[in-house]
Amino acid sequence: MTDPILDPAAGDPLAGDPEIAALLQREATRRRGSLQMLAAESTATPAVRAAVGSILADKYAEGYPGHRYHGGVDVVDDIEELAISRAHELFGAEYVNVQPLSWALANFAVYAAFSQPGDQVLSLSLKHGGHQSHGSRANLSGRWFTVLNYEVRADTEQIDYDQIRELALIHRPRILVAGGTSYSRSWDFAAMRTIADEADCIFWADAAHLAGLAVGGVLDSPVPHADVVTVATNKVIRGPRGGLLLARGEHADSLSRAVYPFIQGAPAMHSIAAKAVAFAECLRPGYAAYARNVADDAAELSARLAERGLRTVSGGTDTHIAVVEVSSLGISGREAARRLAACRIIVDKAVTPFDEAPVAEGSAIRFGSAVMAADGLRPAEMSTVADLMIDAMRTDPDDVARQAAITEAVAAVGEK
């Protein structure tokens, strides 16, 4: 008997699960005609989605190519080697590990490879744009390690490398971290390397948000400078949700053991195939134009919002991320995000570096431009987007008619 799941003639494979099919359709409808502006999201390409949904989802392949625990791995060995080869070409790193199931697990592998519980880690403060996996007390990293934070300058809201050097030389941390989730400016990775050398510590660049822009030629790459680089293969890269480790060759053994068997078991081979697809797509000439458009959209939208009275933290952005203060509108970041969502503009609430508002409310919103760029929106259209955002944030939550009018205008832009 032919397995209906594998038989293309069997029709819709979800026909037997109408509840999930309906929910997937709802999600497609939610996205259609809206402005998806979450900084953490991008749009996976059709080829990436095909690989994620492929037969490889069934395959168990614990271990590394040539050294698997299970049999029947000749094909997946070739797939993983291909993904590694493409990552070498794309990023120029001496060591590549494509197995981390997520960006956060790639981050934890760095801790496992280079430190012991209780060791000191120096990273960007969460309120100043860092990430919870860099030492938040709500996260394993903040409970297992002694975390010290550096902050942005009060006058420019940009990284203070003198402060980092001072803290590093006083405390001599085991790991120095560059990178964050809400910091919109480029990093001086060469300066961070110099500081790490002076303090005799491991320099880790968390490039989850930056790697796609770096390979697209928009930002400098951290790979030549850092001991280890972690990457999220979704976001601007437009690959599957997953993690990637890039490092100097001298760290290969410790990082390989940290991923497997210390952090995780068998890798997700369907995700590794999709990573290989994404790396190949990033190597194509058109990707650089996409990456440039991502950055240009973010910079242009920030500038247009500034013209309308909303200040962008640090005065602008070099990346796809911007944190925009909304307190001048008389609302919190949380309320701003709620009003925007009511008009199908999806952003995050956020705090500013020296925010006096409660974290749960915040004084700002955070947006990203990767999905807009993937959907074909260009800098010339950011003035219209800025107008729609301002209108939505100024609209009373009970004014349903006004919300409907803005939503219709958003759909016209989102369905470009």
Side-chain angles (χ1 to χ4, degrees):
M1 177 182 292
T2 302
D3 185 341
I5 296 176
L6 302 178
D7 183 5
D12 182 3
L14 284 175
D17 195 335
E19 291 176 293
I20 286 294
L23 288 168
L24 292 177
Q25 184 56 53
R26 274 181 56 192
E27 175 63 8
T29 301
R30 182 191 71 81
R31 292 188 62 128
R32 189 178 303 117
S34 64
L35 289 173
Q36 299 295 313
M37 296 171 60
L38 297 185
E41 291 186 352
S42 64
T43 302
T45 66
V48 165
R49 291 183 180 178
V52 169
S54 71
I55 194 172
L56 293 173
D58 300 333
K59 185 57 191 161
Y60 213 84
E62 186 176 350
Y64 289 103
H67 303 278
R68 307 284 192 185
Y69 179 79
H70 299 281
V73 294
D74 51 325
V75 175
V76 293
D77 274 5
D78 288 346
I79 289 170
E80 185 164 341
E81 292 286 11
L82 181 60
I84 291 169
S85 175
R86 290 176 176 179
H88 277 301
E89 183 179 359
L90 181 63
F91 295 100
E94 295 174 344
Y95 169 79
V96 169
N97 192 315
V98 297
Q99 289 201 7
L101 298 172
S102 70
W103 160 42
L105 284 174
N107 288 356
F108 293 146
V110 174
Y111 293 118
F114 298 114
S115 60
Q116 295 293 323
D119 282 352
Q120 291 187 331
V121 176
L122 179 58
S123 62
L124 177 62
S125 166
L126 187 62
K127 288 190 68 173
H128 288 233
H131 188 258
Q132 63 179 6
S133 65
H134 300 168
S136 165
R137 284 293 298 170
N139 184 264
L140 177 151
S141 58
R143 297 190 185 191
W144 282 18
F145 302 99
T146 302
V147 179
L148 310 165
N149 287 141
Y150 55 88
E151 299 179 342
V152 298
R153 292 173 57 99
D155 55 347
T156 64
E157 295 177 311
Q158 296 191 35
I159 295 297
D160 185 343
Y161 295 96
D162 290 335
Q163 182 196 69
I164 297 173
R165 181 176 182 273
E166 180 180 0
L167 289 170
L169 292 180
I170 290 173
H171 297 285
R172 303 283 174 170
R174 180 65 183 132
I175 300 175
L176 172 63
V177 188
T181 193
S182 294
Y183 184 70
S184 64
R185 293 299 190 172
S186 59
W187 289 75
D188 188 339
F189 295 117
M192 295 293 282
R193 174 76 265 166
T194 298
I195 294 168
D197 287 341
E198 286 187 82
D200 191 25
C201 60
I202 292 292
F203 172 29
W204 163 25
D206 187 336
H209 286 276
L210 307 179
L213 295 172
V215 297
V218 175
L219 299 175
D220 290 337
S221 171
V223 171
H225 307 286
D227 288 285
V228 59
V229 178
T230 52
V231 175
T233 52
N234 50 321
K235 305 189 191 302
V236 180
I237 292 177
R238 301 188 66 183
R241 296 187 64 85
L244 175 70
L245 281 166
L246 310 169
R248 295 181 171 185
E250 66 198 80
H251 303 310
D253 288 344
S254 56
L255 284 166
S256 293
R257 290 194 301 270
V259 173
Y260 172 81
F262 191 79
I263 293 292
Q264 63 186 47
M269 294 311 306
H270 56 308
S271 179
I272 289 177
K275 292 174 187 179
V277 170
F279 300 154
E281 291 177 337
C282 289
L283 286 163
R284 294 172 187 163
Y287 180 79
Y290 162 73
R292 170 47 60 189
N293 194 62
V294 168
D296 288 348
D297 277 359
E300 185 69 13
L301 181 53
S302 295
R304 301 290 76 79
L305 288 171
E307 289 178 348
R308 291 153 177 79
L310 299 189
R311 184 186 75 86
T312 299
V313 169
S314 79
T317 176
D318 302 319
T319 68
H320 62 298
I321 299 170
V323 177
V324 178
E325 191 171 5
V326 297
S327 52
S328 62
L329 298 175
I331 56 177
S332 67
R334 181 179 182 180
E335 177 62 18
R338 188 171 76 87
R339 293 186 183 190
L340 287 163
C343 298
R344 300 189 71 183
I345 302 171
I346 311 302
V347 303
D348 290 316
K349 67 176 176 65
V351 296
T352 61
F354 301 97
D355 211 327
E356 296 181 0
V359 172
E361 294 294 326
S363 298
I365 57 172
R366 181 186 73 148
F367 71 78
S369 57
V371 175
M372 289 194 296
D375 287 346
L377 272 67
R378 300 293 180 259
E381 294 159 296
M382 292 303 106
S383 182
T384 299
V385 173
D387 285 337
L388 291 170
M389 293 177 70
I390 295 292
D391 286 350
M393 287 186 285
R394 285 178 171 164
T395 297
D396 188 288
D398 295 325
D399 191 343
V400 178
R402 182 60 186 157
Q403 287 177 343
I406 297 171
T407 298
E408 184 177 351
V410 168
V413 174
E415 292 179 350
K416 175 182 179 299

